[in-house]
Amino acid sequence: MTDVLFPPLSKEEPGAEGVLSTWFVRDGDTVGADQLVAEVQVDKVAAEVPAPVGGVVHLLCAEEATIRQGAPIARID
């Protein structure tokens, strides 16, 4: 099992919170390594989040959820 983490987008505040703005996959989908799974935002900086490995994705939070940078947003089996 591999965690998909909310990337650190704010270098000034590495533990700051951001928003998971969009999921590109659904819970239970099969993804490939490097496939885009989500878009996240901290302040005015947005980033797309790729899957670190291939497998079945399990979402750990909803769209528009506020999440701390570095926290897991999904798991891949």
Side-chain angles (χ1 to χ4, degrees):
M1 190 175 320
T2 301
D3 285 343
V4 179
L5 304 178
F6 192 116
L9 299 179
S10 173
K11 294 181 181 12
E12 294 144 11
E13 295 182 62
E17 294 182 332
V19 174
L20 191 149
S21 44
T22 306
W23 280 114
F24 299 137
V25 296
R26 287 185 258 185
D27 194 60
D29 283 357
T30 300
V31 297
D34 297 322
Q35 179 179 338
L36 296 179
V37 295
E39 182 178 69
V40 296
Q41 185 168 353
V42 175
D43 296 325
K44 296 186 189 278
V45 177
E48 294 175 328
V49 181
V53 297
V56 177
V57 67
H58 302 284
L59 308 182
L60 300 177
C61 56
E63 285 186 354
E64 301 303 319
T66 300
I67 307 194
R68 187 166 302 284
Q69 293 176 82
I73 58 172
R75 290 204 170 99
I76 299 177
D77 289 331

